[in-house]
Amino acid sequence: MKKIIALLLAAVMLTLTISLVSCGGNNNSTTTTEPGVTTTTNANATTTSNTNTTTTTTEATTTTTTPDVPVTPAYANALDLFNKIWGSYTDDDKFPVGGGDEDHNSDEGPGAFDIEKNKESIKAYTHITDDLLATVKNDAANLIHMMNTNTFSSAIFHLKDAKTAESFAKDYNSAIMGTRWMCGFPDKVMVVSVGEYIIVGFGKADPIDTFKTKCLAADTNAKLLIDANIEV
């Protein structure tokens, strides 16, 4: 009888031991449900971590470079521009010239002209009208052939408003075409604009064509407005 009781007690103890071992095991389980997402479950909480939750945004930086824009050089006055043009002449291109008014006379190149003091003289040399003179500042320079102004006569005027260049050119061309010539007839008339400056010239074809070429080459903003044969 004692043996039977001992066996029963042993069986009960074995059962209890197995149960305790099962309860003391690891209750955490890890299940991967999809790539990059892991769910961990334990007795107290469930934590889900997503390895793809960090987003880095890189903004492109655009740098715009503005190309250099040619700028018209700042001329001190009309004579400064005229000296640049005459200075580009070769010895073969040059001819006997004079320029300037009574106070600024030159026999080697262009000379400054005070319009207010010598208005009638500049009109005689260039055939500019009173209306056109009203559109320019008292800043001018001229260059003429020493032997005959109808062979070559030119001047540079400083416009009060650069926007009037085309209308100035048109009116000057009309004035030249309406002139009654003496001492030889000029062949051509030309007008070139350079910013606020307006360049006029009339005379024989060869010196006028050379002058036109030199004026246009003197400045990147030079624009030919008139290049016409004079009708007589």
Side-chain angles (χ1 to χ4, degrees), residues 74-114:
Y75 300 106
N77 46 46
L79 181 60
D80 187 27
L81 173 56
F82 219 144
N83 283 334
K84 181 178 181 180
I85 295 168
W86 184 246
S88 68
Y89 273 68
T90 65
D91 290 339
D92 291 338
D93 294 330
K94 291 182 177 179
F95 47 88
V97 295
D101 57 22
E102 298 174 354
D103 299 324
H104 309 90
N105 191 268
S106 171
D107 58 1
E108 295 181 356
F113 220 99
D114 188 325

Side-chain angles (χ1 to χ4, degrees), residues 63-198:
T63 302
T64 303
T65 302
T66 302
D68 294 336
V69 178
V71 178
T72 302
Y75 300 106
N77 46 46
L79 181 60
D80 187 27
L81 173 56
F82 219 144
N83 283 334
K84 181 178 181 180
I85 295 168
W86 184 246
S88 68
Y89 273 68
T90 65
D91 290 339
D92 291 338
D93 294 330
K94 291 182 177 179
F95 47 88
V97 295
D101 57 22
E102 298 174 354
D103 299 324
H104 309 90
N105 191 268
S106 171
D107 58 1
E108 295 181 356
F113 220 99
D114 188 325
I115 298 173
E116 293 179 357
K117 290 178 62 177
N118 301 279
K119 182 178 178 180
E120 295 305 316
S121 294
I122 196 67
K123 288 171 64 177
Y125 285 133
T126 64
H127 297 283
I128 192 171
T129 65
D130 288 324
D131 288 342
L132 288 176
L133 285 176
T135 68
V136 302
K137 301 177 181 180
N138 189 28
D139 173 21
N142 81 320
L143 183 73
I144 61 174
H145 195 288
M146 289 289 287
M147 304 301 294
N148 189 336
T149 57
N150 288 353
T151 298
F152 179 84
S153 184
S154 63
I156 298 180
F157 299 98
H158 193 163
L159 295 169
K160 293 177 180 178
D161 184 353
K163 295 178 181 178
T164 64
E166 291 190 7
S167 61
F168 183 105
K170 181 179 178 181
D171 291 344
Y172 184 77
N173 182 61
S174 296
I176 293 298
M177 294 300 178
T179 299
R180 298 180 63 181
W181 303 99
M182 299 177 63
C183 302
F185 300 104
D187 298 324
K188 300 187 70 175
V189 57
M190 55 128 280
V191 181
V192 171
S193 66
V194 179
E196 293 184 345
Y197 293 95
I198 197 85

